[in-house]
Amino acid sequence: KIAVIKSVRQSGKSYLLRVLLIRAALERVGTSVYVAPTLLQSREMYNNILKALENTELIESANASVLYINFTNGSVIHFRSTA
């Protein structure tokens, strides 16, 4: 699925996307891809998701160089940029 969110600044778009990515990874086994305009923004989302799940046993592995998170249920989130 592809979703587009049009909203004003500071309205919680990044938070919403973080919740949706985690939810998708936990509810079904599959691959999700987060694409941001810059690598810095992708890395920021990667770090935010890791921080949100740091005291849980939901993450099997994560790679900060390649920017992906593997979940214990087999789901994967990849973080990419358009640049």
Side-chain angles (χ1 to χ4, degrees):
K1 265 186 194 179
I2 295 175
V4 177
I5 300 171
K6 181 179 178 183
S7 185
V8 297
R9 294 184 55 216
Q10 303 291 317
S11 61
K13 296 179 293 291
S14 294
Y15 178 79
L16 173 64
L17 192 53
R18 185 168 58 240
V19 169
L20 292 175
L21 282 168
I22 294 170
R23 181 179 171 186
L26 297 178
E27 287 184 350
R28 62 170 176 74
V29 176
T31 301
S32 297
V33 180
Y34 172 76
V35 181
T38 66
L39 187 59
L40 181 64
Q41 289 172 317
S42 284
R43 188 173 304 282
E44 187 176 332
M45 180 62 77
Y46 168 86
N47 288 328
N48 286 339
I49 289 177
L50 278 183
K51 186 175 180 179
L53 300 176
E54 68 184 345
N55 293 323
T56 68
E57 296 182 11
L58 298 172
I59 296 176
E60 181 177 312
S61 63
N63 187 312
S65 298
V66 184
L67 292 179
Y68 69 81
I69 299 173
N70 284 332
F71 288 80
T72 53
N73 69 349
S75 292
V76 181
I77 301 175
H78 293 277
F79 301 84
R80 302 285 184 258
S81 73
T82 59

